[in-house]
Amino acid sequence: MTAVLLPPSADLDLAPLAAALTPRALVTDPDVVAAHSEDKALFCAVGQARALVRAATIEDVQATLRFAHAHAVPVVPQGARTGLSGGANAMDGAILLNVAKMNAVLDVNPVEKTATVQPGVVNLDLKKHLEPFGLAYPPDPGSVAISSIGGNVATNAGGLCCVKYGVTRDYVRSLKVVLADGSLTTVGRPTAKGVAGFELSHLFVGSEGTLGVVVEVTLDLVPALPDPLTAVGLFPTSTAAARTVTAFMESGAQPSMLEFIDGPTIGMINAYGDFGLDDGTGAMLLVQSNGDGSPERAQAELESFSRIARENGATDVTYSDDPRDSELLVAARRAISPAIEAYCHREHLGELVDDVCVPLARMADFSSALDAISARYPDNLIASCAHAGDGNFHPCVFFDQDSEESNRLAQEAFGEIMAAGLALGGTITGEHGVGYLKAEWLAKELDPASRALHLAIKNALDPKGILNPGKMLRAL
Amino acid sequence: MTAVLLPPSADLDLAPLAAALTPRALVTDPDVVAAHSEDKALFCAVGQARALVRAATIEDVQATLRFAHAHAVPVVPQGARTGLSGGANAMDGAILLNVAKMNAVLDVNPVEKTATVQPGVVNLDLKKHLEPFGLAYPPDPGSVAISSIGGNVATNAGGLCCVKYGVTRDYVRSLKVVLADGSLTTVGRPTAKGVAGFELSHLFVGSEGTLGVVVEVTLDLVPALPDPLTAVGLFPTSTAAARTVTAFMESGAQPSMLEFIDGPTIGMINAYGDFGLDDGTGAMLLVQSNGDGSPERAQAELESFSRIARENGATDVTYSDDPRDSELLVAARRAISPAIEAYCHREHLGELVDDVCVPLARMADFSSALDAISARYPDNLIASCAHAGDGNFHPCVFFDQDSEESNRLAQEAFGEIMAAGLALGGTITGEHGVGYLKAEWLAKELDPASRALHLAIKNALDPKGILNPGKMLRAL
């Protein structure tokens, strides 16, 4: 990239920007700017931004990018700032461009089965909005109650449903995007099918604010999902649970949820709330099947799970057709994040959450690799959960926040986990994204031609390099 | 684009290319080259290529592009040449790069539910290959028996299943692609989920040979699909059938097939074979539902169809749970292309097949627009079928091949059909692609920023403009 960004220390008159924006959209109060300068990731640089724009309209986004483009000022697109990779963190001298206030559901179309929303709509709010229509938007990241659709699109968010219902990108029909120079375009398809030109909407999904700012999203919906039945399998070891996942998926199963929780994580959940999980077990699998609306087929699928789990060493498998049991178990799964936070608070520890995804046939190998890494870092607890049906593990490495050595070891273990995933044919990030945290690792995952391709596309769309510099593409 | 292609008339020593290729892969015999210079579209320019490369390996593709890149020679990537938009047609001085011989199924992975194939594998051959595994690759373009996966990827092919099971892109997990300079890269995800970098595989899907040459495809598969039940509705007019589609889809239905055939097309099918369709009806709808494996739910969905069809003026609705009836009806639908060819041959006519897709709520409006266009062109029969559940119409405009005036009028009507689709919020092409045929129309569909974005990406990936010049992006 030949263009040079405005130095962070250079003077810049923001008055013309303020004049072009909705009144009071531009905020320069250092405390407010600082309060908007981070997402939920640890170990990611946080710089001092010049200003925060709370965009209220598409025109606000366009005006901000026109101004930034003219002056070569870095821009950090932001939504709810619930990301786990530092993608929304400030860099020195940047303008934070926050679209959280653009949070209207603009349209629900029951014929086309689509919803058109502004980027600031919170995922769970959209789900609730759709209920009276008998329609559903499946993607359900762990952050479903706090993360926004714009951020979900920027990171191609996943969740518990992916094993059957896919990820955010699978539901993006079209986007309105403001490009680096402030121009507005619509990409994607207006209809159920369409092949007029390149599929550019899918390029923006998961591009983490490096190619443009998403200002409107049209999502494909599905009819309301049938209620599932739930089973729980308890295992003496994580590896036995991992083997079960591989065998169950190989059997042709189509669970609507297949989650893995290891022993240490179960302990944290039980300490956090009254979920009745079986303490002292090595690992558990939480399985749901909705049989595509047939309770008989759901039941048969869970029976198949039970058989396969026992063949692979499960000590106990129970299932229930009482929806309240299901809700409690899913609530336990959803409690992992706050339970870990509570554990860290209680024990004065920090946590580094990984996000490696491996081929389903390598589940047990990855589980063994995690055990080996744990053994090499005896002073850093590593506790794991996984969206197991996708091979997507979230090993969590804990460290003593007051100890530099513990910090360093945690980061080393974090890297070894990614290296183990790559060695098994996996990826460094299944759903959390690259952001600031994993930029060096992205360079290890992509082949040389792919790295060049990423940079060629970035330069073509953002020749001045103003969009979220220093993040995803930093090390390519 | 500043680069200048080698003039078609310029001398070019092909010996170094021949030496770099598998023996006998390079063909310069003018008759053989000419025989490989067209796909199945009419009204598309066909130039005189310099040579044909029958690639047998990835290295052949790399060597060809390295050579073409060095000498700025245009390259036309080709598969089975069954396309309907002239995308595989030769231009003067080009090298035709045909990958039809690369036709091995490399791997089927029942745990991951993926198949890895070379681009020349014919769609139907893959489907048959997967049957013993209990797995299915749903996309089924009308050309399923003759078109290859590489071409399906290049055009993002659709078909009869899309209404429930989506298009080719929905099944592309990763691709090996040779870029314009001959470098090889892997794009997409190795795992069920993955967000490491931009989603570049989806950019290549549907790019019609303008960004790179796909040399290996890893496809997501699904468990074998349940057998459907089939219903047929007969209607006095196309518009009544179109209204039924809108109402049926609005009801939350999830048919696995929903096809529309108008009266003139029914006549052609009956003249072609013994399918027992009801001659003299205005239009018919062919519906399948598999109830996701529940015959009761499939039955209920067809009963719902029957009720909605009668409410919208159907004169008769029949359904059957005899698989033989279903097969016959689907065979009738699949016979449309050869039936039209036979009709053209019998009547000494040419045909121009359109591919407009409109929002489902506008089905009846589009049907009325087609009636109006037919009335304005009384000497050119317009017969339509549609993948109705997607809003994807294939109006076919017939003309007297010996009459310039009839030719001209057909092209005019063809344009009016696309204009009508765009005016209703639709697209000029639902699944056939832009190719040579609709390049001028693509410029009308895309907004100015999107046009610039297309060119920026094209220039970034193919700075010399050697990949399929004069096709999709010609008029942007």
Side-chain angles (χ1 to χ4, degrees), chain A residues 114-206:
Chain A
T114 57
T116 299
V117 305
Q118 291 186 314
V121 171
V122 168
N123 184 314
L124 191 60
D125 292 344
L126 174 60
K127 289 189 199 304
K128 287 181 185 161
H129 188 97
L130 295 171
E131 275 172 19
F133 296 91
L135 293 168
Y137 170 67
D140 62 343
S143 58
V144 64
I146 52 173
S147 65
S148 58
I149 296 295
N152 290 177
V153 167
T155 57
N156 189 25
L160 280 61
C161 74
C162 305
V163 62
K164 183 160 188 167
Y165 293 103
V167 294
T168 302
R169 181 178 288 114
D170 299 320
Y171 296 87
V172 171
R173 180 182 286 201
S174 70
L175 299 172
K176 285 190 179 170
V177 181
V178 178
L179 302 173
D181 65 359
S183 58
L184 176 68
T185 186
T186 302
V187 290
R189 314 168 304 290
T191 42
K193 284 160 66 187
V195 292
F198 300 149
E199 176 42 274
L200 297 178
S201 72
H202 286 194
L203 178 63
F204 286 100
V205 178

Side-chain angles (χ1 to χ4, degrees), chain A residues 84-450:
Chain A
L84 295 170
S85 303
N89 282 13
M91 73 272 314
D92 287 342
I95 297 172
L96 308 175
L97 175 50
N98 195 299
V99 297
K101 282 181 75 174
M102 295 170 66
N103 64 355
V105 175
L106 301 173
D107 180 53
V108 176
N109 183 331
V111 187
E112 205 67 28
K113 295 193 186 75
T114 57
T116 299
V117 305
Q118 291 186 314
V121 171
V122 168
N123 184 314
L124 191 60
D125 292 344
L126 174 60
K127 289 189 199 304
K128 287 181 185 161
H129 188 97
L130 295 171
E131 275 172 19
F133 296 91
L135 293 168
Y137 170 67
D140 62 343
S143 58
V144 64
I146 52 173
S147 65
S148 58
I149 296 295
N152 290 177
V153 167
T155 57
N156 189 25
L160 280 61
C161 74
C162 305
V163 62
K164 183 160 188 167
Y165 293 103
V167 294
T168 302
R169 181 178 288 114
D170 299 320
Y171 296 87
V172 171
R173 180 182 286 201
S174 70
L175 299 172
K176 285 190 179 170
V177 181
V178 178
L179 302 173
D181 65 359
S183 58
L184 176 68
T185 186
T186 302
V187 290
R189 314 168 304 290
T191 42
K193 284 160 66 187
V195 292
F198 300 149
E199 176 42 274
L200 297 178
S201 72
H202 286 194
L203 178 63
F204 286 100
V205 178
S207 66
E208 302 186 5
T210 64
L211 296 180
V213 180
V214 171
V215 293
E216 197 177 298
V217 184
T218 296
L219 295 163
D220 284 316
L221 308 174
V222 296
L225 301 178
D227 286 333
L229 304 183
T230 305
V232 178
L234 303 181
F235 298 84
T237 64
S238 290
T239 305
R243 264 200 309 267
T244 300
V245 171
T246 300
F248 183 51
M249 292 308 287
E250 187 168 17
S251 76
Q254 292 189 289
S256 55
M257 191 179 87
L258 178 45
E259 294 289 314
F260 162 89
I261 310 177
D262 75 356
T265 309
I266 291 170
M268 293 174 204
I269 297 171
N270 279 337
Y272 175 71
D274 185 18
F275 295 106
L277 301 187
D278 203 334
D279 236 332
T281 192
M284 66 182 273
L285 291 175
L286 197 54
V287 193
Q288 291 194 327
S289 174
N290 61 27
D292 293 307
S294 155
E296 296 74 24
R297 288 174 54 222
Q299 179 79 17
E301 190 152 275
L302 294 189
E303 279 163 15
S304 159
F305 170 76
S306 176
R307 194 179 56 250
I308 291 169
R310 286 179 197 280
E311 283 165 10
N312 284 280
T315 53
D316 192 24
V317 184
T318 52
Y319 41 99
S320 166
D321 56 2
D322 184 336
R324 283 167 303 180
D325 295 342
S326 298
E327 277 166 34
L328 190 68
L329 286 162
V330 175
R333 170 59 189 84
R334 291 212 181 269
I336 289 180
S337 280
I340 288 176
E341 273 184 40
Y343 171 76
C344 285
H345 186 74
R346 213 162 53 235
E347 306 285 333
H348 307 291
L349 295 175
E351 41 150 349
L352 202 44
V353 186
D354 221 324
D355 176 40
V356 169
C357 194
V358 297
L360 289 166
R362 311 308 296 271
M363 295 288 288
D365 295 328
F366 186 70
S367 180
S368 301
L370 279 179
D371 287 345
I373 294 168
S374 282
R376 284 201 294 281
Y377 295 88
D379 296 333
N380 296 77
L381 172 67
I382 301 178
S384 292
C385 61
H387 304 306
D390 301 306
N392 187 190
F393 283 82
H394 292 313
C396 195
V397 186
F398 296 90
F399 57 91
D400 177 351
Q401 282 182 307
D402 300 329
S403 156
E404 263 186 47
E405 177 66 0
S406 180
N407 250 271
R408 193 186 61 73
L409 289 170
Q411 293 194 57
E412 216 175 275
F414 183 72
E416 286 196 25
I417 292 168
M418 281 186 279
L422 287 178
L424 293 170
T427 174
I428 58 165
T429 177
E431 59 181 11
H432 291 173
V434 176
Y436 185 93
L437 192 65
K438 295 189 171 179
E440 316 296 330
W441 283 91
L442 182 63
K444 296 186 211 285
E445 177 160 341
L446 302 180
D447 65 46
S450 175

